[in-house]
Amino acid sequence: MRTASFIAQYLAGVIFLVFGLNGFLNFIPMPPPTGVAAQFMGALYVSHYLVVIFAFQIIAAVLLLINRYVPLALAILAPVIVNILSFHAFMVPSGLPLAFLVAALWAVIFVDVRAAFTGLFQARVDRSTKKSRGLRNVPVSAN
């Protein structure tokens, strides 16, 4: 499973790096969308929201490719992938195969590093322990 995770990690890194850079450099010409998808993409473009999305894709891709902060990269990519899936499911179904591939790659990587996310899947947080109270009273040193 570890080998599959590394392959998925580097493949996802390459995909997001290429498409993130394409957002800035436009080296893969794509036909303009039509209908509601065109209106949606137009709003994202005019508001410069796409700059943020492409920047996050590049940052996460670099983290995946250099094999550092992989859980952070997955956390950055999760909402991006949800939006990619939603966009293609509701507006441009022709892009669904690549969207499903990226989501599957993300899931394979997630399974390998899921231990980093265990704190997120707790139903309740115990704040009564001495350890957690001590975290609130950490003195700040002025260097």
Side-chain angles (χ1 to χ4, degrees):
M1 184 64 178
R2 195 159 229 359
T3 305
S5 176
F6 280 126
I7 292 169
Q9 180 177 329
Y10 290 112
L11 188 56
V14 168
I15 290 170
F16 279 107
L17 185 64
V18 167
F19 282 99
L21 288 173
N22 186 53
F24 292 111
L25 305 174
N26 202 19
F27 52 86
I28 303 173
M30 295 186 188
T34 58
V36 177
Q39 294 173 355
F40 181 72
M41 291 302 291
L44 291 178
Y45 180 77
V46 169
S47 66
H48 302 289
Y49 193 77
L50 284 176
V51 172
V52 176
I53 294 170
F54 294 136
F56 277 132
Q57 286 181 4
I58 292 169
I59 291 167
V62 169
L63 292 175
L64 289 175
L65 291 173
I66 65 172
N67 199 25
R68 298 283 184 206
Y69 302 105
V70 172
L72 175 62
L74 292 180
I76 292 170
L77 287 176
V80 173
I81 292 172
V82 167
N83 281 297
I84 291 169
L85 284 169
S86 299
F87 176 78
H88 288 294
F90 297 122
M91 294 183 228
V92 186
S94 63
L96 269 176
L98 183 58
F100 282 136
L101 172 68
V102 167
L105 293 172
W106 185 92
V108 169
I109 304 165
F110 178 81
V111 167
D112 190 40
V113 298
R114 69 184 175 273
F117 294 96
T118 55
L120 293 175
F121 296 105
Q122 294 179 359
R124 292 201 170 108
V125 177
D126 183 17
R127 295 185 182 150
S128 64
T129 64
K130 194 175 208 179
K131 183 178 177 184
S132 67
R133 269 188 266 132
L135 292 176
R136 291 186 211 143
N137 301 324
V138 175
V140 177
S141 62
N143 291 334

